[in-house]
Amino acid sequence: MDRNEAIDALVSAHRERRISRRDLMVRAAALGIGASALGTALARTAVTVSAQDVNPTPGGVLREGYDLDFSKMDPVATSWYDPAFMALFECLAIDAPDGELQPMLASNWTIADDALSVTFTIDTGAKFHSGRAVDAAAVKEVYDAIKDPANGSPLSVLFTPVEAIEAPDASTLVLKLSHPYYDVLNVVKTGYWAICNIVARTEAGEAFGQTTIDGTGPFTFKEWMPGSHVDVEKWADYPGSIVPYYQNKGPAYLDGIHWEAILEGAQRALKIENGEIDTLRNPLAQDVARLQGNPDLSVSSFSEPSGYIFGQNFNKTELDFHEQGMRQAISHAIDRQAIVTALLMDLGSPLYGPITPADKYYDPTVEQFNQYDPEKSKALVAELGWTPGADGILEKNGQRMAFNLVVQDESFNRDLGSVIQASLAEIGMEVTVQSLDRGSYFGALGEGPDSYLFYYLWPVPIDVVILFVGSGTIPVPNWGSASVPAVDEAITAWQNAGSEEELRAAGNLFQTSIAETLPTIPLVVRNTVWVARPNVRGWLPHQYDIYPHYNDVWLAQ
Amino acid sequence: MGAFLIRRGLRFIVILLLASIAVFYALRFAPGDPTAGVLSPLAMEEAREAYKERLGLNRPVHEQYLTYIGNMSRGDLGISMVTGKPIGELLQVYGRNSLILGVTAFAITYLIGIPLGVLAAAKKDTFLDQAASGIGILGMGMPNYWLALLLILVFSVRLHWLPTSGCCTPKHLILPAVVLAAEGIAVTLRMTRSSMLDQMNSDYVRTHRAKGVDERTIIGNRVFRNAMIPIISLSGLRIGWLIGYSLIVETIFAWPGLGYLLVDSILRRDYPVAQFFALVLVAAVVLGNFLADLAYGLVDPRIRHA
Amino acid sequence: MPDVVVAPSSSVGVVLRPDPPVQHRFARTVKRLSRNKLALFGTIVALIFIVLGIIGPSLAPYDYAKQNLMKANLPPFSEGHLLGTDQVGRDMLSRILTGIRISLVVGLGVTVISMVIGTLLGAVAGYYRGVPDSVISGIVELAWGFPLVLLAVILAGTLGPGLLAAVLAIGLINWAGFGRIVRGEILAIRESEFVLAARATGVPDRRIIVRHILPNIVAPALVMGSYYVALAIIAEAGLSFIGMGAQPPLPSLGVMVAEGRNYMMLNPWVITIPGLTILLIVLGMNMTGDGLRDLLDPRSKNR
């Protein structure tokens, strides 16, 4: 969709009262559409803002369809965070729809001149559901818990440069850094750094996040039924929020939210078409065009801060996986644009570097690498001494170019695996795809498979890609034991950046070094697609956050 | 009879014990890690170890097993590692859903399968007989996810009569129950037909016929009643099947039942849940067999509970 | 998923039945077969698929694994693709032809495993009764109740995921149904006059089993077998639902339906064609089984 189409789609959605004027402005801003362009588009047609849009009606339960099953709702130790986190918990800061970092539980933050400490002001008057006040000490408890490796915070490694967390007074929280680490701001806004009541967590033990939850969000926990649903209800005593982009600063409008895990792909689109749910995350890509043609639905699609990566095991030296040329040969054999067109129905983009082109740190220089060029692949493998054997499979010193590819079982993963298999067959490589259930898949990754396919999703993609490619995280989660000095240097630069400019420069270095040396091979990124029925207002998924927030959401009659 | 019941009861316990050992060791032998469903795959090794330590998962397996059996024998079924829900509660909620779905599916299977089977037997070797068999096999041969999606397209999307999926009103129940029922129709029909035919060829029916009793009365009373006995026993056997193999229907229709719970707990390596519900499955099979034997024994005096 | 409870002739527990094998079976077989049109039809359908399974792949116009992403999701009768293409642009006709072979091999594999284990254990249980029967019946119930998915996960972990693991998993669970039927048959046969007579004259057990009993369960085993092939095909489709069936690029019919269901709304053919193929095979196999049973089951000779 080019920019004009995007504007027109937004304006017509607004005209049909599917999104409010405010949503329109914010979404336009998120797409980089200025007020003047929007004004021109609006002028083409008379737009009246309905009274409903101005005065939200409280009440009702939002029914949201979700494409995954739910994980434990304990921010400190979970396997993933789901949309309910956005209703139950809050972080110190939040990403606004324009990509700007805005205050949430911290009203303010400053970075010391030497860049060796960050100070947050915790004075918003927020409370936990249990009534405990959110002060610097409460936040310190959470961050200390994250740093404790025994707790199992999934990405606690991102807090490694944070040497100590101090709470000199009730409203001051200081993160002491071992080296400049500007990126820490990108870390604390994510779901794994959401603030929960550690006292309640300690009391509840394993049950925290399962049957007991004590967060600061505008909703309280009601029920979790695995494979079925999560229910939350309005917290009437919510002290309010200071997030600038929220219109509603007080308690939520909704009485509750009901998330349904709709694991059968085709059912998701059918369910919202049928009016059984109000909003939906990720219908199947092949159903999106149909939904877009439905005048009762508004569909938005954003590039996700995610990516599919294809890792080779550097220890497989007999297959030359430790050779840059071999990895480049594999990469050039894959037609990413064709994958995006055929499998993602153009709801995605090719990845020539490690992160999505929509990310704010994206460096387009990566596009000069990894273009589809099977002839170049053949030349590269020939350079390494591989020649086609009798059956067409490459051979070198009696070693056949045959290896396993481990994927987690899911329909797109399987298709992607089979496309890689077919693409590499073209250049004489024999790939055996092994599609495994989740438990077996991570078991296999831990054992260092020949090669693997992995899908990551994280609000700050570089932060998590680092873990798959840096030699410091061998063997988990650098399952392929990738080790490339240039990449390691870029990682150090990123982690030591003391300012936004340094961070951006390090990010560019990181991307180009990966695009060239391929510690893991980037493939494609898919879009997140969000669908809403016309009565849902103030619901604003955007590309800088992986889920919408629910403070502003209300249901029109 | 009393001794027989005691012996069967003991046998039941022994089989359950063996099953518990088999499942317990199988789960631990399966690839992957028990923390996979709880902790992030990116979590530190220390966290995995600490978690296993807390739950006693790194003790020798036989020790874990003894603790487990000890707890079970005291009525402590344990709690789910993933959701923290007590297993008793899971049994109640998911078991209830499974029961509702299963009983409805049974009813539909029999309401279609038995009359068709009677018809097929009464009109043996005619077109009707063959058409009835054809219908039965149709239900069995259609891959159930295909049938499910077709029904959704017709009854939910086109006609808007029924919801596409979800739980747990009567309207939500209809489609999954029909799909689950479809597979059993062929078997029920075949059983009914063949046992009706057996009965109709029996001596007592010949005698009745010779006495000039109306054919309809013969079929309606004696034949049908006797022919139903194997069908009733078959029901006992199908209980286990309904738990073990309803996964697909439950997933497509988002109907949270035991089939989904069992498979999901195996895939997430939620040991306590998987262990318990696998045992429920075995127990259902053993009980079903027991009931079937009892039914046969009661009817056919030639069979001794030797 | 599989209906492991299919039990065509005797179904459950113990059924006593008259003996013994009959003469002139072949002539009567043909006569009966032609009388039962449905069985005849089913047998023809089954035979067609068996022939397709043998020669089909060599008729395939394309390599079943050959992709063309630019030609994905084509409907039937598109240029060069009689049955259209799937989501990665593979020729559906070629995949169906190969899929038929793979699914039949799965069906056959499961049936052979089930038959071997089931017949052996069932025969021992039925003949010796007493303690061996008790033990084996217990194993049967245990196997029957053991979660298929757990076994499939373990086998996939040990052997690598794929058809071999799937076939073994299904076979290692489903033999229980076979064992139960065989046990019932043998319980009946061992009480028959000719076996009793043989035992009275001091013929050793092994000889009785081999000479008198096993030949008598060939017929019911064949009938069961025809149903089992169909059941195994459906069971593999079931495992494919959770990704434990055939692995890419192998096209079993079950995998094609499982993968095609996500494209049901965009291109309904990718699920309809393999779905119909499974349906026809199952139909054919079942009708053949029904026909075989009518032919071979001594009880039905007077029907």
Side-chain angles (χ1 to χ4, degrees), chain A residues 5-28:
Chain A
E5 280 177 43
I7 300 179
D8 287 349
L10 278 176
V11 169
S12 69
H14 174 57
R15 219 170 39 228
E16 290 155 17
R17 296 215 207 134
R18 281 184 276 131
I19 58 173
S20 71
R21 185 177 185 103
R22 200 185 61 82
D23 286 4
L24 169 69
M25 307 294 282
V26 180
R27 282 189 190 185

Coordinates of all heavy atoms in Angstrom, one line a residue, chain A residues 5-28:
Chain A
E5 N -2.7 5.6 -0.8 CA -3.8 4.6 -0.5 C -4.0 4.5 1.0 O -5.1 4.4 1.4 CB -3.3 3.2 -1.0 CG -3.5 3.0 -2.5 CD -3.0 1.7 -2.9 OE1 -3.2 0.7 -2.2 OE2 -2.3 1.6 -3.9
A6 N -2.9 4.6 1.7 CA -3.0 4.5 3.2 C -3.8 5.6 3.7 O -4.7 5.4 4.6 CB -1.6 4.5 3.8
I7 N -3.6 6.8 3.2 CA -4.4 8.0 3.6 C -5.9 7.7 3.3 O -6.7 7.9 4.1 CB -3.9 9.3 2.9 CG1 -2.5 9.6 3.3 CG2 -4.8 10.5 3.4 CD1 -1.9 10.8 2.6
D8 N -6.1 7.3 2.1 CA -7.5 7.2 1.7 C -8.2 6.1 2.5 O -9.4 6.3 2.9 CB -7.6 6.8 0.2 CG -7.3 8.0 -0.7 OD1 -7.2 9.1 -0.2 OD2 -7.1 7.8 -1.9
A9 N -7.5 5.0 2.8 CA -8.1 4.0 3.6 C -8.4 4.5 5.0 O -9.5 4.3 5.5 CB -7.1 2.8 3.7
L10 N -7.5 5.3 5.5 CA -7.8 5.9 6.9 C -9.0 6.8 6.8 O -9.9 6.7 7.7 CB -6.5 6.6 7.4 CG -5.4 5.8 8.0 CD1 -4.3 6.7 8.4 CD2 -6.0 5.1 9.3
V11 N -9.0 7.7 5.8 CA -10.0 8.7 5.8 C -11.4 8.0 5.6 O -12.4 8.3 6.2 CB -9.8 9.7 4.6 CG1 -11.0 10.5 4.4 CG2 -8.6 10.5 5.0
S12 N -11.4 6.9 4.7 CA -12.7 6.3 4.5 C -13.1 5.5 5.7 O -14.3 5.5 6.1 CB -12.7 5.4 3.2 OG -11.8 4.3 3.5
A13 N -12.1 5.0 6.4 CA -12.5 4.3 7.7 C -13.1 5.3 8.6 O -14.1 5.0 9.3 CB -11.3 3.7 8.3
H14 N -12.5 6.5 8.6 CA -13.1 7.5 9.5 C -14.4 7.9 9.1 O -15.4 8.1 9.9 CB -12.1 8.7 9.6 CG -12.6 9.8 10.3 ND1 -12.9 9.7 11.7 CD2 -12.9 11.1 10.0 CE1 -13.4 10.9 12.1 NE2 -13.3 11.7 11.1
R15 N -14.6 8.1 7.8 CA -15.9 8.6 7.3 C -17.0 7.6 7.6 O -18.1 7.9 7.9 CB -15.8 8.7 5.7 CG -16.5 9.9 5.2 CD -16.2 10.1 3.8 NE -16.1 8.9 3.0 CZ -15.1 8.7 2.1 NH1 -14.1 9.5 2.0 NH2 -15.1 7.6 1.4
E16 N -16.6 6.3 7.6 CA -17.6 5.3 7.9 C -17.7 5.1 9.4 O -18.3 4.1 9.9 CB -17.3 4.0 7.2 CG -17.5 4.1 5.7 CD -16.6 3.1 4.9 OE1 -16.1 2.1 5.5 OE2 -16.4 3.3 3.7
R17 N -17.1 5.9 10.1 CA -17.1 5.9 11.6 C -16.5 4.7 12.2 O -16.9 4.2 13.2 CB -18.6 6.0 12.1 CG -19.2 7.4 11.7 CD -20.1 7.8 12.8 NE -21.2 8.6 12.3 CZ -22.4 8.5 12.7 NH1 -22.8 7.5 13.5 NH2 -23.3 9.3 12.2
R18 N -15.6 4.1 11.4 CA -15.0 2.9 12.0 C -13.8 3.3 12.9 O -13.5 2.6 13.8 CB -14.5 2.0 10.9 CG -15.6 1.2 10.3 CD -15.2 0.2 9.3 NE -15.1 0.8 7.9 CZ -14.0 0.7 7.2 NH1 -13.0 0.0 7.6 NH2 -14.0 1.2 6.0
I19 N -13.2 4.5 12.6 CA -12.3 5.0 13.6 C -12.6 6.4 13.9 O -13.1 7.1 13.1 CB -10.8 4.8 13.1 CG1 -10.6 5.6 11.8 CG2 -10.4 3.4 13.0 CD1 -9.1 5.6 11.4
S20 N -12.3 6.8 15.1 CA -12.6 8.2 15.5 C -11.6 9.2 14.9 O -10.6 8.8 14.3 CB -12.5 8.3 17.0 OG -11.1 8.2 17.4
R21 N -11.9 10.4 15.0 CA -11.0 11.4 14.4 C -9.7 11.4 15.0 O -8.6 11.5 14.4 CB -11.6 12.8 14.5 CG -10.8 13.9 13.8 CD -11.4 15.2 13.9 NE -10.6 16.2 13.1 CZ -11.0 16.6 11.9 NH1 -12.1 16.2 11.4 NH2 -10.2 17.4 11.2
R22 N -9.7 11.2 16.4 CA -8.4 11.1 17.1 C -7.6 9.9 16.6 O -6.4 10.0 16.3 CB -8.7 11.0 18.6 CG -7.5 11.5 19.4 CD -7.7 11.3 20.9 NE -7.9 9.8 21.1 CZ -7.0 9.0 21.3 NH1 -5.7 9.3 21.2 NH2 -7.2 7.7 21.5
D23 N -8.3 8.8 16.5 CA -7.6 7.6 16.0 C -7.0 7.9 14.6 O -5.9 7.5 14.3 CB -8.5 6.4 15.8 CG -8.9 5.8 17.2 OD1 -8.4 6.4 18.2 OD2 -9.6 4.8 17.2
L24 N -7.8 8.6 13.8 CA -7.3 8.9 12.4 C -6.0 9.7 12.5 O -5.1 9.4 11.8 CB -8.4 9.7 11.7 CG -8.0 10.4 10.4 CD1 -7.8 9.3 9.4 CD2 -9.1 11.3 9.9
M25 N -6.0 10.8 13.3 CA -4.8 11.6 13.4 C -3.6 10.8 13.9 O -2.5 10.8 13.3 CB -5.0 12.7 14.4 CG -6.3 13.6 14.2 SD -6.2 14.5 12.7 CE -5.1 15.8 13.2
V26 N -3.9 10.0 14.9 CA -2.7 9.3 15.5 C -2.2 8.2 14.5 O -1.0 8.1 14.3 CB -3.2 8.6 16.8 CG1 -2.0 7.9 17.4 CG2 -3.7 9.6 17.8
R27 N -3.1 7.5 13.9 CA -2.7 6.5 12.9 C -2.0 7.2 11.7 O -1.0 6.6 11.2 CB -3.9 5.7 12.4 CG -4.3 4.7 13.4 CD -5.3 3.8 12.8 NE -5.9 3.0 13.9 CZ -6.8 2.0 13.7 NH1 -7.1 1.7 12.5 NH2 -7.2 1.3 14.7
A28 N -2.5 8.3 11.3 CA -1.8 9.0 10.2 C -0.4 9.3 10.6 O 0.5 9.1 9.9 CB -2.7 10.2 9.8

